[in-house]
Amino acid sequence: MSGNFKEALEIFGIGFGLVIFIMVALAYIMETVGKIVNKFESKKKAEVKK
Amino acid sequence: MIKFMTGFSGLDLPHVIMILIGLGFIYLGVVKKWEPYELLPIGCGMVLANLPLTGIITQPAPGLGPGQAGVLGIILKYGLYQWTILPQFIFFCIGAMTDFSPLIANPRSFILGAAAQLGIYFAMLGAVLLGFTIPEACSIGIIGGADGPTTLYTTGILAPQIMGITATAAYSYMAMVAIIQPPIIKALTTPEERKIYMKPMLRPVSRTERLLFPIITMLLVILIMPKSAPLIGMMMVGNLFRESGVVPRLSETAQNSLMNIVTIFLMLGIGASMPADAVLHTKTILVLVLGLVAFGIGTAGGVLMGKIYCKLSKEPFNPMIGAAGVSAVPMSARIVQHMGQKENKQNFLLMHAMGPNVAGVIGSAIAGGYFLSLFMK
């Protein structure tokens, strides 16, 4: 296996891993943000109704 | 004695071939109306770049006298090769044009957008095996993200010598989504899977969420991957302009006038980056094939992740949606919608597919940022 290919394999592993990691983190954060914001806003709406 | 040379004296076969290809692009854009906003200016740039003795693609350099740098050379140097500002402005405009609500409503779409970046890395490996240098291989791989501006930005910095080909491949494959993706989707899914019905509407997304999205994405992505800032940062700033609602004139300018101006420079520049000596060699064919492979594997990666979702999800999930994870916005999402309707007339998958589609833009920009961080100080 040539040195270049070994380096490319490393780039593959780390690069694709990082893309997955960042996107999963974004998914988790936005899911959580969505829940918090919706909870807060429905609370606000309920208070206005009262 | 007055010295005068006509262009005919410098005309040779490679230049004639490139001029004919340029004229072919113009024909397809004007007569066949295929992607005219891209093919017409690219064709014009290509013809101008290959007319001999014009100096129109001569780039500014120390020692050149007044008027010696050509207009297309100036666009190439500052817009695409050295400063690469045009793709960054395109990202700003894309941010201002993009509604991320389908992604915010269904954040798991992020993972589909990530899976569809698989093609980038496979093509990069393939390019190294075929003898390309690693920076060239990274630039070729990024074609698989089906994201023109990211391809331009990455190639402009890592391998400007293959800019014309990678750019043409990226934009051509984006335009050919309807031909490339359906056979791959069909090969990887069963008719039953393609028929899976999903509720057409996603949950409503509040203004607060839409405002927080660009800020959170910008901070998180750039802190992890600083070199993706010129792309992700510009896109999220554009999106914040849009979603804030307080700068409608700026947002409107970014979506229309600025986008059109940058498109003119960008497409002329792509055409001008294809003088005969940079294009007419065997490497070009390899780049085109590898780009196609990258695009195909990216589509397959998204569909396979969609199949995993289909098995694990409590709600019905149509795995075709994964194919939209490549960032050809909105063409890929439309293909999924079209194929979904063909299999089940009740199915409206467009909004579900738009989530991974815009996530793909973020994913390919992250991939591009990673490649750049390997070679930029």
Side-chain angles (χ1 to χ4, degrees), chain A residues 22-41:
Chain A
I22 294 173
M23 299 292 257
V24 169
L26 276 171
Y28 178 75
I29 293 170
M30 285 316 297
E31 184 97 48
T32 312
V33 166
K35 277 181 192 162
I36 295 168
V37 169
N38 284 331
K39 210 172 170 184
F40 184 73
E41 285 186 349

Side-chain angles (χ1 to χ4, degrees), chain B residues 235-246:
Chain B
M235 180 161 67
M236 292 305 145
V237 169
N239 190 248
L240 194 55
F241 278 21
R242 171 200 170 96
E243 300 299 350
S244 70
V246 294

Side-chain angles (χ1 to χ4, degrees), chain B residues 23-281:
Chain B
L23 291 174
F25 273 44
I26 295 171
Y27 170 80
L28 291 175
V30 176
V31 180
K32 296 283 177 188
K33 294 193 169 56
W34 287 3
E35 306 292 335
Y37 286 92
E38 288 154 15
L39 292 188
L40 177 58
I42 290 178
C44 292
M46 215 187 280
V47 171
L48 283 171
N50 284 285
L51 284 168
L53 308 179
T54 61
I56 201 165
I57 55 167
T58 305
Q59 294 178 34
L64 278 188
Q68 283 184 303
V71 62
L72 295 181
I74 295 168
I75 294 175
L76 281 174
K77 178 160 180 175
Y78 298 112
L80 288 170
Y81 288 164
Q82 198 175 350
W83 292 7
T84 58
I85 56 167
L86 291 174
Q88 300 173 55
F89 275 116
I90 285 275
F91 254 77
F92 173 70
C93 300
I94 289 172
M97 291 168 79
T98 307
D99 178 8
F100 283 101
S101 299
L103 179 60
I104 302 168
N106 187 8
R108 66 180 171 176
S109 302
F110 271 111
I111 297 150
L112 292 169
Q117 307 313 314
L118 190 65
I120 292 178
Y121 296 96
F122 264 106
M124 184 268 298
L125 280 183
V128 169
L129 279 177
L130 288 172
F132 287 93
T133 64
I134 290 186
E136 281 176 341
C138 292
S139 304
I140 294 165
I142 212 82
I143 299 171
D147 185 342
T150 305
T151 306
L152 290 171
Y153 184 67
T154 312
T155 311
I157 294 169
L158 297 183
Q161 67 278 12
I162 54 167
M163 162 77 81
I165 300 305
T166 53
T168 307
Y171 280 100
S172 308
Y173 297 148
M174 277 163 71
M176 284 158 51
V177 163
I179 300 166
I180 300 169
Q181 285 201 308
I184 299 168
I185 298 171
K186 273 193 177 172
L188 294 173
T189 52
T190 62
E192 287 68 38
E193 283 173 332
R194 295 197 291 272
K195 279 181 191 145
I196 292 174
Y197 175 79
M198 291 174 77
K199 284 179 202 161
M201 294 305 288
L202 295 165
R203 74 166 175 86
V205 173
S206 70
R207 181 168 179 261
T208 316
E209 284 175 274
R210 281 186 280 119
L211 276 173
L212 286 172
F213 174 79
I215 298 170
I216 291 171
T217 305
M218 183 164 63
L219 291 176
L220 182 81
V221 175
I222 296 175
L223 281 172
I224 298 176
M225 193 81 74
K227 296 293 182 215
S228 65
L231 300 178
I232 292 289
M234 290 298 276
M235 180 161 67
M236 292 305 145
V237 169
N239 190 248
L240 194 55
F241 278 21
R242 171 200 170 96
E243 300 299 350
S244 70
V246 294
V247 284
R249 280 184 289 124
L250 303 189
S251 172
E252 202 268 336
T253 301
Q255 291 179 42
N256 298 294
S257 318
L258 185 61
M259 184 63 166
N260 292 335
I261 292 167
V262 179
T263 301
I264 293 171
F265 287 134
L266 192 74
M267 296 304 156
L268 277 174
I270 292 172
S273 67
M274 287 187 271
D277 51 347
V279 178
L280 294 179
H281 43 73

